[in-house]
């Protein structure tokens, strides 16, 4: 629309800048249309970059590229594993004949990428242990099967599959190979409630503050500050609203962790924040139209995600397993199921979900008719 | 109906007594209608008292008041926690806009109350530890979210949400705060299969007999005899049939416990009986029309509930967690799903469930047309 | 069809042999029709023999008889328990009024039989411990309730109940009675990842090869070679294609076990193969029309079943519980849910499933119309 009307000459430059910014932000549907005429490898790159961004609920190839850069900066080996997982699951989806529109949206990439990243993080065999490529490819491919199988189950209630396949596969991989496996050894996960031997009982405020952006980085299993900031910037490109909720949720997760006295290292590393961030982002803007009500609701969702994560981590930690993003996934699914009038009226049907800003704009067009989408 | 026809003068007194007894027993729908014109706080009291009674499958404010009295008698601190949980979850339901008819029926109070009672029982910080009010309010409020989210899932098969939210939240709270948490410490749950060091291997018959009414009291986490008897009386007011099934189920639970040699203290305290009681009550009269077939069926349900409870308690006990009423809830849900002709024909659709006596009276009106309610 | 046209005299003998072979193989629907006029005990025998074969996904009374012989050969006590469980659950189904066509197909027998066999295998009280008959009857009867309750849940997605009831009941029985129970003691299950003290680190090739047919026998908890071969023969009678997939799947399971270095005794005994065998059989021919695509797909399914089994065994093994056939059941259910075009088009609707050979023949008649059976 905005590209068709002719601007007066003086504003031309400013308008062009705004135009290109608008072009790069949000879902970049224009690029998507443009890409459909390109050869397959070029298209695959776009699909994969969208898949990278999908992990953090964004749907923008530019964000994906930025995040990939951040991962490369943090650890090239991890970035390699991630890309391999991404490709393995996307190609599996193409081979078994998943819906091509879904594949093009990167929906069959992010689970594979996440499982590959986590396999890399938990491996105790060190970087560049090439045998790891085998389980990475296999588990990533299996994620596509799980995605395809869970879709008809969740579809009945208009729920997204989100990261259920990743969460299942990483638990399966880690419990299949034990901690002292001969071929694929890995570190056991440490529950957040485990006691820690440290000299000071004082919490370090600056490290706590660092934990907030790190919580966003931990969504990609990345525990370094600058890559985390870059990831935040990538989310900002997609949607400033989503970026704000990511930070807010991570902060809420930290508060939740403080309130039940989890071990300090869990707070400092951002591990206690990333579920809160995901839970907050899903509700605040993405699956619900933004308003002050959904804003409060997203804070509640962040708290619930964070507390559930501590509970699940303590439970699974007894068997040496991590809770990954089970807590945020389950909480977001619960929130999408809510039938309470004051919240469900803001619910956006899954097939209409776009970036929060676009959701806001689109809201006025269909308000009224679709309030009962959850209780079909 | 019975209030409109004029009795002859001589029978007047007797009839008035019967009338007032009938008025107080069952669902007290007349009071409910009368209450709708009252101011909000008065209505809230009625809703809350119904919520108190809902825990034990009754729907009668008088029963609720009696049970609240029993809890006060057993422990004022526990009663305070229970009321707080009740109010927190009911008010949350009103705020997020749950169906007002459900709120008025007390459906959004009992999960909150139960979770509050259990938090109090498991806390090892002693009575009047005021910090406990914080998690009590938060978990109770979350129960309403879970209720609202689980409803559309279970609705597909015409199943009630029952106490699933409570069971989830208490497990979450207990695993979130560990046993030796700095702020919210709690006792670990002892599995019924754990060996016990006692001098005598002989079972005490009188204590076993006491365990039967205690099993009914344990539904409210109450381990004292007289309050338990008061709770039984409250159920009797609602429905004598339900009261008989409660005792029967508790006895069956004890038998089941004896048959697999659980530790004696589990039998004496009534802990091995309360799941049996709930499982027996749900099938015998409430969700199924009473008949000799459903009576046998309710005994089978009580046995299954009791054995599942022992199994789940042993499993969860290994992580220091209690099995709460998972067993009875799952068993009752399973029984409601049964498609076997000889049982499902007695099934009462969820929106028509009333007190067992009313179910019996109503049965003749709709028999025949609604036998296939489970396999829609 | 082939029985109605008159053959020329010279071919008569050969044709009669083929006819009788064809009569005995496959689903033996002709015998089924013939049986409907027989007295109840004779019919019950046919239903039960079908139930015996159903465990290994076959539906043929002759296969059932052969398998029963194999079990008797391996251990008369085990065979007795199996028959008792079979009868208990079939009779329960008749009493509670399950669909008579399902009962006649043996669908209400195999879960009861399996749970009885496993109770026998795990019992540490030795053979001919008569008290065991009590839990065997009760758990087998409960399997029918679970079957009846799970059916409407799974029906929504056109999924079979398969062995979910068995898997639930055996876990419940084993966790209800602990390992050192006073009345019903049992061996704890050893996870496949547990370290093993043996002098040689070398694997014995001949024992590995023996493990492949043993993997098929382990479906009936039978760990001896010749009975396992007999069970394979019984599957061959029903369907040579299914038999080939059973061996293939068991081999795949062994490969999976080797790749994550499970303990050798798990490989030798066939325990690492039986989930692979079941997963391979379900996809390769039974629930999907046979073709080279579904053949590759069945190998993928076998690998996924085998790896999931190792993961679940390690997890449940920490609590002393076996993973039974959870892995294969869940994997097969997942595969049936797949919506990916290239696989779901081969899916056979549950009510049309017959022997693989008949599925192939029938395929041409309904191809085209029923490809979207999974996403109704």
């Amino acid at each position: 629309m905005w590209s068709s009307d002719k601007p007066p000459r003086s504003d031309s430059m400013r308008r062009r800048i705004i135009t290109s910014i608008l072009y790069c932000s949000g879902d970049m549907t224009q690029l998507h249309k443009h890409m459909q005429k390109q050869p397959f490898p070029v298209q695959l790159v776009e699909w994969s970059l969208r898949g990278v961004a999908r992990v953090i609920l964004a749907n923008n190839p530019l964000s994906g590229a930025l995040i990939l850069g951040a991962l490369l900066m943090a650890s090239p080996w991890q970035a390699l594993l991630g890309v391999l997982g991404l490709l393995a699951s996307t190609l599996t989806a193409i081979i078994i004949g998943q819906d091509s529109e879904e594949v093009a949206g990167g929906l069959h990439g992010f689970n594979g990428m996440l499982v590959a990243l986590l396999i890399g993080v938990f491996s105790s065999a060190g970087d560049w242990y090439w045998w790891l490529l085998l389980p990475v490819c296999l588990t990533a491919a299996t994620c596509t099967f799980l995605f395809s199988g869970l879709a008809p189950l969740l579809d009945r209630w208009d729920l997204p599959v989100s990261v259920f396949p990743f969460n299942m596969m990483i638990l399966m991989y880690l419990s299949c190979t034990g901690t002292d496996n001969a071929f694929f050894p890995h570190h056991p996960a440490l529950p957040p409630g485990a006691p820690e031997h440290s000299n000071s009982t004082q919490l370090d405020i600056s490290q706590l503050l660092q934990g907030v952006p790190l919580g966003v980085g931990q969504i990609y299993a990345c525990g370094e500050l600058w890559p985390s900031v870059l990831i935040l910037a990538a989310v900002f490109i997609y949607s400033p609203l989503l970026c704000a909720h990511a930070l807010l949720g991570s902060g809420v997760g930290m508060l939740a962790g403080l309130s039940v006295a989890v071990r300090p290292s869990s707070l400092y590393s951002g591990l206690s924040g990333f579920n809160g961030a995901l839970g907050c982002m899903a509700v605040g803007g993405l699956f619900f139209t933004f308003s002050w009500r959904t804003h409060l609701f997203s804070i509640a969702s962040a708290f619930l995600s964070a507390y559930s994560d501590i509970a699940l981590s303590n439970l699974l930690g007894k068997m040496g397993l991590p809770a990954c993003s089970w807590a945020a996934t389950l909480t977001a699914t619960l929130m999408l199921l809510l039938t309470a009038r004051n919240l469900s009226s803001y619910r956006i049907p899954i097939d209409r979900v776009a970036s929060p800003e676009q959701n806001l704009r689109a809201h006025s067009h269909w308000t009224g008719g679709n309030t009962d989408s959850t209780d079909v």
Side-chain angles (χ1 to χ4, degrees), chain A residues 146-163:
Chain A
L146 278 171
F147 195 102
S148 177
L150 288 174
L153 283 184
L154 293 164
D155 226 43
R156 284 278 163 118
W157 293 275
D158 195 31
L159 295 170
V161 177
S162 63
V163 283

Side-chain angles (χ1 to χ4, degrees), chain A residues 66-96:
Chain A
L66 213 61
I67 291 166
L68 208 57
L71 292 178
L72 258 172
M73 196 169 122
S75 157
W77 168 240
Q78 280 287 94
L80 171 72
L81 288 181
V83 169
L84 193 70
L86 191 68
L87 290 176
S89 64
T90 306
L91 291 175
T92 307
I94 296 169
I95 291 167
I96 66 172

Side-chain angles (χ1 to χ4, degrees), chain A residues 108-342:
Chain A
H108 292 292
F110 65 99
N111 278 292
M113 184 187 187
L114 266 174
V115 87
L117 288 175
L118 266 282
I119 285 177
V121 163
F122 276 98
S123 169
S124 60
D127 279 9
W128 312 107
Y129 176 68
W130 294 102
W131 283 110
L132 219 54
L133 301 192
L134 212 69
V136 158
C137 286
L138 284 177
T139 49
T142 314
C143 279
T144 303
F145 280 88
L146 278 171
F147 195 102
S148 177
L150 288 174
L153 283 184
L154 293 164
D155 226 43
R156 284 278 163 118
W157 293 275
D158 195 31
L159 295 170
V161 177
S162 63
V163 283
F164 279 115
F166 147 67
N167 282 309
M168 289 175 183
M169 280 316 292
I170 188 69
L171 284 193
M172 192 182 129
Y173 170 75
L174 292 179
S175 42
C176 193
T177 67
T179 49
D180 45 4
N181 191 273
F183 305 145
F184 307 109
H186 60 78
H187 306 290
L190 203 59
E196 209 162 58
H197 300 286
S198 70
N199 296 326
S200 67
T201 54
Q202 209 65 25
L203 283 170
D204 184 338
I205 300 293
S206 73
Q207 278 195 289
L208 278 185
L209 285 178
Q210 263 193 30
V212 176
L214 278 176
V216 179
Q218 286 288 5
I219 294 173
Y220 287 90
C222 165
E224 288 175 43
L225 188 59
W226 290 112
S228 299
V229 172
L230 215 59
I231 290 170
L232 263 172
V235 179
F236 190 86
I237 291 176
Y238 175 63
S239 153
L241 207 56
L242 207 61
C243 180
H245 277 97
L247 277 175
L248 177 67
S250 183
V252 164
M254 182 149 296
L255 277 181
L258 284 170
S259 75
V260 292
V262 306
R263 62 194 163 79
S265 65
S266 171
L267 298 171
Y268 298 158
S269 65
L271 277 173
S272 68
F274 81 98
N275 270 286
L278 282 171
C280 194
M281 288 161 87
V283 171
L286 197 68
F287 293 122
F288 290 82
T289 311
F290 185 73
S291 75
W292 66 267
R293 268 188 190 161
T294 46
H295 184 63
L296 289 180
F297 185 29
S298 75
I299 294 173
S301 171
F303 269 112
L304 185 53
S305 296
Y307 282 121
S308 318
D309 180 50
I310 298 169
L312 284 172
S313 296
N314 278 335
L315 269 186
L316 288 168
K318 287 198 183 154
M319 307 199 227
L321 294 172
C324 308
S325 56
W326 273 111
T329 316
L330 288 172
T331 303
T333 304
L334 175 75
M335 294 310 182
L336 289 173
L337 278 170
L338 284 191
T339 46
R341 213 171 42 252
N342 293 344

